Amino acid sequence: MPAPARKPRRRRTPGQIARGVRRRARRLAGRLRRVWRRSLQLRVVTSTLVLSMAVVVVLGVFLMQSIYASVHNASEVSAVAESQANNATASGYLSQLSDIGDTGQDGTAPGPVGDPADTAAQALADRSGGRYDVVIYNTSMVGQGRVSGQIDPLSIPASLRADVRNSDEDHPLWHQTVTVRYIGAKQPEPALVVGAMVNGTYEIYHVFPLGDEEKTFQAVQRMLIGAGAALVLLLAGVASLVTRQVVIPVRLARQAAERLAAGRLEERLKVRGEDDLARLATSFNEMASTLAVKIHQLEELSQVQRQFVSDVSHELRTPLTTVRMAADLLYEGREDFDPSSARAAELMQNQLERFESMLADLLEISRYDAGAATLDLDPVDMRDVVLRAVGDSETLAERQATRFELRLPNEPCMAEVDSRRVERILRNLLFNAIEHGEGREIVVTLGADRDAVAVAVRDHGVGLKPGEENMVFDRFWRADPSRARTIGGTGLGLAISREDAMLHGGWLQAWGAPGEGSQFRLSLPRVAGAPLRGSPLPLVPPEVEMRRTWRGHVTPVLTPAIGAISEAGPRVRESAEAGGFDAD
């Protein structure tokens, strides 16, 4: 059976390759930044390395310049002194040769002698022993220059020749460092040229090659660079070792603190020596021991407190039942009483109902504190849950002259929830809206998306002040302590509602503004146990958001009362079914 043909690889365009390279470069840069931010040892070693490199470079440049100046000055002094002596010798030598060439050896007629410049150049070169070469120009006769060795006469710069021709008694010698060229295969090299005017006719230039000095200087330079690099690496190693002695105890202290924060109260640090780090470890261990004792005491106190609340709540049920039976008898026969007794029977009935409600809430809170609360999950249609909660609140709404406006989707909104607890959350939200809505309309909105369902209860009452959107879920908290509860609330309803929402893995959030009312939003995952990443409904009412946007105001970002939201926050999108917005 023939093997299936391999699918040819799709060739990437240059733009795709460039984008891939940029992405990899950004990821690498991000990893390097994270390592740099997290590693104290790396930062210290890098700083030491950079500073030591700067110091070594400065010192190296200073030493190189000093060595070069010393070598160059010594060569210059020696060359000028030797040139000055040679110029005196050459002056007498050229004078004798010139006299012989003019009168002849016997004083009667000139003889066929060689050019004096050529003879003088050769004589001076023989005296040098190879240390220098000589270039002589006869200014009275064009083309009569002579050179010893293989130096190119054009290597003598014109500026130096002009200075020599214009020299006077105060400045008879001129010198300059130039690059000398040679006739033949020899490579150009730096040289010191010392020039002088002799006998008013001859320009004598002594050329001292500096090749050996340059080689010595380069060898010293390489030695300094190598020693500097070794010194920098040695300093980096020393800094790493010294930093390690400090970083490791700090790192161990951080790890111990993390384990202590995770609940491992028995975590302690090993104490070595008597230095500052040892005293830090001792202080840390003492702090951990004290913290463990305090936490243990608080746990015992909390346990006793929870047990007390639970026991008292249970113990109160028996006498409350008896009192309830007697109160029911009195309430049923109140028509036979005088008006004051009948009124007392009605008040006792109302307060007993409130007391029973508070007792039930205390028992529920004690279950949450003890971690004994569980969910009875069933797939339900959230529309039915909302309708049942609204039906339970209609009697109270009629007494307060409040009307409900329901905004429910046309299709079922299924979710796996504990319907009893969710109904209790919605009843508490509706009772709270009736209590603070000042008789105005209450809007109940149900929304859903692929992952979550949400119910928003909006009132148009007194609203919330800045910072109260989280405090409203605290136990027995009141926005205005002087304001009495008109519907007999216990002060635990919203706290229990928050616990119920957290038990479902959801959010219960509040928004409010003075004069604009408030809105509470319950967001639950559609599948039990799934993470909740967003809400189908906005926390701020759309009409308020549009009005603030139109006025040029910026809506503040509110922290959710429970749960966690991603850094970007909810992203609002339209939802035709819910008649509002989606957020994910």
Side-chain angles (χ1 to χ4, degrees), residues 23-35:
R23 282 195 299 269
R24 287 193 291 271
R26 285 195 295 268
R27 285 196 296 268
L28 179 60
R31 285 195 292 269
L32 292 177
R33 282 195 298 270
R34 286 193 296 271
V35 172

Side-chain angles (χ1 to χ4, degrees), residues 145-227:
R146 294 295 181 265
V147 179
S148 66
Q150 297 179 340
I151 294 178
D152 185 359
L154 298 178
S155 299
I156 308 300
S159 59
L160 180 60
R161 293 193 61 186
D163 292 335
V164 170
R165 285 194 295 268
N166 297 327
S167 60
D168 50 24
E169 294 181 355
D170 296 332
H171 196 172
L173 292 177
W174 293 86
H175 57 84
Q176 184 177 345
T177 303
V178 300
T179 300
V180 177
R181 297 180 297 275
Y182 295 92
I183 299 173
K186 191 175 181 179
Q187 296 296 323
E189 62 178 341
L192 179 64
V193 179
V194 181
M197 199 73 182
V198 177
N199 296 344
T201 304
Y202 298 95
E203 301 175 29
I204 300 180
Y205 297 95
H206 292 78
V207 181
F208 295 87
L210 299 177
D212 294 338
E213 287 80 357
E214 286 293 325
K215 291 179 181 179
T216 303
F217 180 72
Q218 291 175 1
V220 173
Q221 186 178 24
R222 287 192 296 268
M223 183 181 64
L224 288 177
I225 292 175

Side-chain angles (χ1 to χ4, degrees), residues 372-398:
T374 58
L375 293 176
D376 186 11
L377 298 173
D378 287 310
V380 297
D381 188 351
M382 289 295 296
R383 296 180 302 175
D384 299 335
V385 178
V386 172
L387 291 174
R388 287 197 295 269
V390 171
D392 294 339
S393 308
E394 283 182 347
T395 302
L396 181 61
E398 290 175 358

